[in-house]
Amino acid sequence: TAVVAGCSSTPDGAASIAPSTSTEVTVPVSAVTTTVVDAGAEPREVVRVAPALDTVQQIDLTTGSRVFQQIGDQPRQDFSSPEVTLPLTATVTRAVSDADPSTVVDLVLGDATSPDGALMSAFAAASGSGAGLTIGPSGAISALRLRPGPDAPDAARAAIEQAFYQAVYRMVSFPDEPIGVGAVWEIHQQVMSAGITLDQVGTATLVEREDDRITVDVKVEQT
């Protein structure tokens, strides 16, 4: 993800959904903590997310998962979800200020695509759906807003929601301490999956920095 990326059965990271408007729901996102393992090379500085008001960015968010479960000698079950690509227009509608350190980003969905034929048919009526993110200065997301199009069928809504959940719970949060290239830190967060609480730890490595553009490698483990 850049800039920062009716409900179905509970996907990864889903939480209780509170109504915001007649067409929009807000999903609280569990808190994030970070722990620095290696501060990296000099020069070091604290990394903060603070895009300017009215910044607009075009994003293609692509998600997918391959999940299999086998218990004892029972047949293996496939819980995988097909790949989904969401073309998004992201606009910063509230920038960081002295009164509020959070950034609010509005997302409008274009023509979503998937190699799954049934989903492609469902996506035909989902264009114009939207979402929103509330992002803290560290990059941690505190709330996800979902705004499905009025004509979007349940299959399209479920796939779009799942894509956003996957993206939100893989976002990189930066530590409060100064870091440089080569820095390694852990990102701790709890997520829900099929009604089970999982402890998620993302190990992030700052691979490269060029001005305000940062490349981070992330490995995620759940227990």
Side-chain angles (χ1 to χ4, degrees), residues 138-152:
S138 69
I141 294 176
S142 59
L144 165 66
R145 291 176 303 285
L146 297 170
R147 191 173 61 251
D151 299 324

Side-chain angles (χ1 to χ4, degrees), residues 52-193:
L53 183 66
D54 295 330
T55 297
V56 178
Q57 193 174 55
Q58 304 296 323
I59 303 164
D60 282 340
L61 169 62
T62 300
T63 66
S65 68
R66 293 180 58 79
V67 181
F68 302 95
Q69 174 180 288
Q70 185 170 13
I71 301 174
D73 295 329
Q74 297 178 19
R76 187 175 72 163
Q77 294 177 289
D78 186 352
F79 294 100
S80 302
S81 58
E83 183 176 287
V84 170
T85 297
L86 307 181
L88 301 168
T89 300
T91 305
V92 177
T93 57
R94 189 177 76 200
V96 171
S97 67
D98 293 338
D100 192 331
S102 297
T103 298
V104 174
V105 178
D106 185 70
L107 303 162
V108 177
L109 175 65
D111 294 328
T113 58
S114 173
D116 184 283
L119 267 184
M120 275 298 295
S121 298
F123 282 151
S127 183
S129 297
L133 303 173
T134 301
I135 309 170
S138 69
I141 294 176
S142 59
L144 165 66
R145 291 176 303 285
L146 297 170
R147 191 173 61 251
D151 299 324
D154 288 345
R157 294 185 183 208
I160 292 167
E161 290 167 7
Q162 176 73 357
F164 278 117
Y165 287 133
Q166 288 183 1
V168 164
Y169 280 91
R170 299 299 184 271
M171 295 289 280
V172 174
S173 299
F174 294 94
D176 293 331
E177 296 89 338
I179 55 175
V181 173
V184 178
W185 66 99
E186 292 181 342
I187 304 165
H188 300 258
Q189 193 170 24
Q190 285 195 334
V191 302
M192 291 290 294
S193 180

